[in-house]
Amino acid sequence: MKDHIATLLRTAAKRLQNQQVLPTDLDTRGIKVELSRDKKHGDFAANNALVWAKAAQCPPLKLAQQLCAALPHSELIQSAHIAGPGFINFVCVIGADKHTIQSILTQADKYGHSEEYSDQRVLLESVSSNPTGPLHVGHGRLAAYGDSLANLLATQGYRVQREYYINDDGRQIDILTLSIWICYLKHIFPDVPSLPHAAYHGEYIRVYASMLYEQEAAQYGIDNIDDLYAGIPSDNEGEAADRHLDALIERAQQLLGVDNYTALSQWAVTKILHAIKDDLAVFGVRIDNWFSEKKITHSQEVRRILAKLSERDAIATRAGAQWFVATQYGDEKDRVLIRHNNKPTYFANDTAYHYNKLQRGFDSLINVWGADHHGYVARMRAALRALGFDAQRLKVQLVQLVALYRHGKKIAMSTRKGEFITLRQLIEEVGVDAARFFFVMRRIDQSTEFDLSLAIAQSKDNPVYYIQYAHARICSLYRQLEERSLVWDQQAGLNALAQLEQEEELALSRWLSEYPATLKNAAQQCEPAILVNYLKQLAGLFHSYYNAHSIIVNDSAVRNARLCLVSAVRTIIANGLRLIGVSAPQSM
RNA sequence: GCGCCUGUAGCUCAAUUGGAUAGAGCAACGGCCUUCUAAGCCGUAGGUUGUAGGUUCGAAUCCUACCUGGCGCACCA
């Protein structure tokens, strides 16, 4: 319907251009027809007279009159009139948007989808939590957002691959290995000192250590616990903690030997990764490709990147380290790629990883990161630019982390200290539906405070139920129909759509017709929250309708038509919820 | 100190990306179940959109300054 009106306006504009009222070079492609917010303003509104007034050197009201006069006749439009400062408001004939309902019924779960961007391959990287501990609530938001976004993009035709980058190499993994090993040794030597400050302290460390001891009691033992701590610098706050930890890691590698140490390390990472995969599966989050950092570190990719950057004079050697001169590419500081000890930095690996992504033939990359990584965006862009890519091909979606409160007190979410609510705990407490809905119901740049105890207490009031309830109510209507031995004649209903003339029915079908534009908008803006708001509105319109009118009435034509309408509503709710990973129950 | 994000009803958030009289849900108050699911609906009350300027037909939205809160500024990841 919007397109139809836009076409009418375009024709009118062309006529005015021929009459020299509008400049001939005026761009008439960007005509925007909006659904009126207020019924007094008709069904649809266009603001072109206001937008074009300046170019036409003509007062908006006068231009609006001329546009109106030049509009071609349409049997779908009852009237077009001018209001306010120069809006053109359109009133449609009743049933003009009946093709919406028909399309929804025939296209079902494909309704509103488009193939517009089917030539675009997108790599969407999300979560990418280090395999050093279970997923927590913050990761849950990244996962829920990333998964929903991928679904949304797919509705517009994008070929999306969902990837998880596994940081399974480097110091963090060493710390994990050491933490588990020390807890493991406690089973053998009761007097093992407590874990270093800088180690991982989560409960899961002890759990895995016990598991390891049960499975491999002898494999990772040592003769004398003093061998581990002899000559190790003491454990104090600050830098001393890191020195203490690094010395212990080195000692562990000596005592265990390379093979055993590596085996232990791999055992730990594998265990944790399995847990992460399980959590995501339970959460309904799909990952197509698990990309190991080792693919980067065990190949020559970093060296290749370095060579490429050298060719472009983007490398400088300072104080024994190799720097990427990021300042020449829009970053505020230069960045170290190769440390003085000849080890590449995380940034070096990450640059190689992003280069690898683009080499795989993706047109664009989307990274879903926690907002605390925003300082990293400029340097990643700079690196891609230096490697000769258009930095616009990398889009970084920064998701505000969830600040959790319990009983009004902020919970320190520290992976290292092991103080966090895991995603698994959250799911067990509020369920997958509520959790996924909660994570995407707000725009990602909204910082949010969330009292867990409150959310658990109010779980019955979670807004997800409002939408699901609308769906369940509609399903119930069809069960009711059966009980009354009635049959829904869809074709008869479609033929009788013009009889849907109640205010609530018109509002519903108008809102249904907005679904395709909503999907497109949500995908373009990378904001699942837009879809959520749409669904809330749709559910609200339905509940109002349901309370005001009976659907199963005696008049069979009206009944069938109403059943067509609510069936369309049901389909859209189910489709929309599916895109954000929330179920649409048949009954509640 | 520098940079990024944020500020809308008592609370949590919307506002079709610059449109018409800023809207929902909680919380408060008053109504609606003998009838398709009351996890619902209808109504009342609640606002100088952080502050001050600017841009234009028109600003919560864009620009500038200041204020508030969050985050980031490693040879950590």
Side-chain angles (χ1 to χ4, degrees):
Chain A
M1 200 62 215
K2 275 185 184 176
D3 289 342
H4 178 67
I5 293 172
T7 308
L8 299 179
L9 281 166
R10 206 166 289 125
T11 309
K14 205 160 282 172
R15 287 179 184 170
L16 292 188
Q17 279 175 329
N18 291 338
Q19 296 166 24
Q20 311 283 316
V21 177
L22 281 170
T24 46
D25 58 346
L26 188 75
D27 186 3
T28 59
R29 281 173 305 176
I31 291 179
K32 205 170 78 179
V33 179
E34 294 180 330
L35 207 58
S36 300
R37 293 186 204 210
D38 192 325
K39 283 186 246 12
K40 279 181 235 159
H41 301 134
D43 296 316
F44 296 92
N47 64 353
N48 305 89
L50 293 161
V51 176
W52 291 337
K54 194 167 239 177
Q57 292 182 314
C58 169
L61 272 174
K62 194 179 167 198
L63 183 58
Q65 283 164 2
Q66 286 175 305
L67 269 171
C68 251
L71 278 173
H73 173 78
S74 163
E75 57 189 10
L76 296 178
I77 304 297
Q78 195 182 73
S79 69
H81 56 272
I82 296 152
F87 291 98
I88 303 175
N89 293 333
F90 295 86
V91 179
C92 299
V93 299
I94 288 171
D97 48 7
K98 76 172 192 183
H99 72 279
T100 297
I101 293 171
Q102 195 158 3
S103 302
I104 295 170
L105 294 185
T106 52
Q107 294 172 29
D109 59 351
K110 291 280 176 272
Y111 177 75
H113 291 211
S114 150
E115 285 297 316
E116 186 174 353
Y117 299 100
S118 59
D119 60 334
Q120 289 288 308
R121 292 188 64 212
V122 179
L123 181 71
L124 191 147
E125 182 208 332
S126 73
V127 194
S128 297
S129 160
N130 285 355
T132 54
L135 295 175
H136 56 63
V137 170
H139 299 127
R141 189 170 189 199
L142 297 183
Y145 169 76
D147 193 61
S148 304
L149 175 58
N151 291 340
L152 274 173
L153 292 172
T155 68
Q156 302 305 304
Y158 289 100
R159 303 295 186 239
V160 186
Q161 183 158 42
R162 306 129 185 262
E163 187 157 293
Y164 185 118
Y165 182 55
I166 312 163
N167 293 118
D168 52 3
D169 209 358
R171 185 163 180 267
Q172 297 304 319
I173 299 300
D174 287 329
I175 298 173
L176 169 76
T177 308
L178 179 76
S179 303
I180 291 182
W181 190 51
I182 289 177
C183 286
Y184 163 93
L185 289 176
K186 273 186 187 167
H187 289 86
I188 304 171
F189 307 102
D191 55 340
V192 172
S194 57
L195 281 172
H197 284 116
Y200 290 115
H201 287 85
E203 176 64 24
Y204 66 97
I205 295 288
R206 281 186 288 279
V207 170
Y208 284 126
S210 301
M211 197 186 296
L212 182 68
Y213 181 73
E214 278 163 30
Q215 290 176 11
E216 310 278 355
Q219 184 73 22
Y220 303 106
I222 51 175
D223 296 336
N224 190 336
I225 190 63
D226 294 334
D227 293 344
L228 178 56
Y229 290 95
I232 300 290
S234 64
D235 188 15
N236 286 315
E237 298 290 331
E239 282 181 34
D242 282 332
R243 276 198 297 276
H244 174 75
L245 199 67
D246 287 334
L248 277 177
I249 289 169
E250 203 173 317
R251 182 66 53 82
Q253 289 166 341
Q254 288 165 6
L255 292 172
L256 281 167
V258 176
D259 288 348
N260 256 349
Y261 181 85
T262 308
L264 174 58
S265 180
Q266 265 177 15
W267 181 88
V269 168
T270 305
K271 278 285 172 202
I272 291 180
L273 204 53
H274 270 307
I276 289 173
K277 288 182 179 181
D278 279 352
D279 285 353
L280 289 180
V282 167
F283 207 36
V285 170
R286 188 182 114 205
I287 299 291
D288 300 317
N289 193 28
W290 298 79
F291 191 101
S292 165
E293 185 182 7
K294 286 181 180 163
K295 273 189 196 160
I296 300 294
T297 54
H298 293 188
S299 72
Q300 294 302 305
E301 301 217 25
V302 171
R303 296 293 152 191
R304 274 200 288 276
I305 295 301
L306 228 62
K308 276 194 172 293
L309 290 173
S310 274
E311 276 172 35
R312 295 163 179 266
D313 288 325
I315 299 288
T317 305
R318 290 172 207 156
Q322 296 202 56
W323 296 69
F324 164 49
V325 289
T327 44
Q328 289 179 16
Y329 297 91
D331 195 7
E332 55 182 5
K333 284 179 184 170
D334 291 342
R335 310 290 179 180
V336 172
L337 287 170
I338 307 293
R339 289 182 261 247
H340 73 278
N341 64 8
N342 210 32
K343 283 186 181 171
T345 58
Y346 175 83
F347 174 57
N349 290 342
D350 214 17
T351 301
Y353 171 48
H354 281 78
Y355 181 75
N356 176 292
K357 287 184 184 177
L358 287 167
Q359 289 298 103
R360 278 184 271 159
F362 291 99
D363 299 290
S364 57
L365 312 177
I366 298 179
N367 289 354
V368 177
W369 285 350
D372 54 339
H373 287 73
H374 71 78
Y376 201 78
V377 177
R379 88 177 69 167
M380 201 65 246
R381 283 238 167 79
L384 292 183
R385 207 172 284 132
L387 286 166
F389 294 105
D390 177 0
Q392 296 300 318
R393 288 171 68 184
L394 172 66
K395 187 166 188 173
V396 181
Q397 292 302 113
L398 297 171
V399 180
Q400 209 68 36
L401 294 184
V402 183
L404 271 189
Y405 286 71
R406 173 164 270 162
H407 306 304
K409 261 179 70 181
K410 188 167 186 175
I411 303 173
M413 296 280 280
S414 161
T415 309
R416 184 74 59 87
K417 288 180 187 159
E419 292 170 0
F420 50 79
I421 308 298
T422 63
L423 177 59
R424 184 62 75 129
Q425 284 173 303
L426 183 78
I427 292 172
E428 280 163 6
E429 285 170 1
V430 307
V432 170
D433 284 345
R436 288 209 53 162
F437 189 88
F438 170 78
F439 284 135
V440 297
M441 67 189 270
R442 291 180 191 148
R443 296 181 155 270
I444 54 170
D445 54 3
Q446 283 289 344
S447 56
T448 157
E449 295 175 356
F450 174 37
D451 193 318
L452 201 59
S453 38
L454 205 71
I456 294 163
Q458 292 188 339
S459 65
K460 286 271 183 196
D461 293 329
N462 196 305
V464 68
Y465 293 112
Y466 185 73
I467 298 170
Q468 289 182 319
Y469 185 48
H471 185 270
R473 267 183 154 177
I474 296 171
C475 291
S476 168
L477 285 171
Y478 293 86
R479 288 192 294 269
Q480 188 64 222
L481 205 61
E482 246 173 77
E483 274 174 35
R484 298 191 199 174
S485 303
L486 292 169
V487 178
W488 169 37
D489 186 334
Q490 186 174 319
Q491 197 49 53
L494 289 172
N495 293 335
L497 285 181
Q499 294 190 45
L500 297 179
E501 49 191 355
Q502 298 295 331
E503 203 178 290
E504 292 87 349
E505 292 167 337
L506 298 176
L508 258 181
S509 49
R510 270 197 334 155
W511 193 242
L512 285 173
S513 71
E514 281 294 286
Y515 183 69
T518 302
L519 281 188
K520 185 175 184 178
N521 193 20
Q524 277 174 341
Q525 292 189 48
C526 296
E527 271 297 1
I530 290 173
L531 174 61
V532 173
N533 287 328
Y534 171 89
L535 292 174
K536 275 197 236 174
Q537 175 86 18
L538 180 62
L541 289 171
F542 169 75
H543 286 310
S544 295
Y545 175 47
Y546 183 91
N547 274 276
H549 304 282
S550 291
I551 282 71
I552 304 175
V553 290
N554 289 330
D555 183 327
S556 68
V558 173
R559 183 178 67 236
N560 283 319
R562 288 183 175 176
L563 287 167
C564 285
L565 173 62
V566 297
S567 176
V569 173
R570 173 171 66 173
T571 298
I572 296 302
I573 290 178
N575 290 356
L577 288 179
R578 192 182 310 113
L579 291 175
I580 57 170
V582 175
S583 71
Q586 306 274 318
S587 65
M588 288 172 74

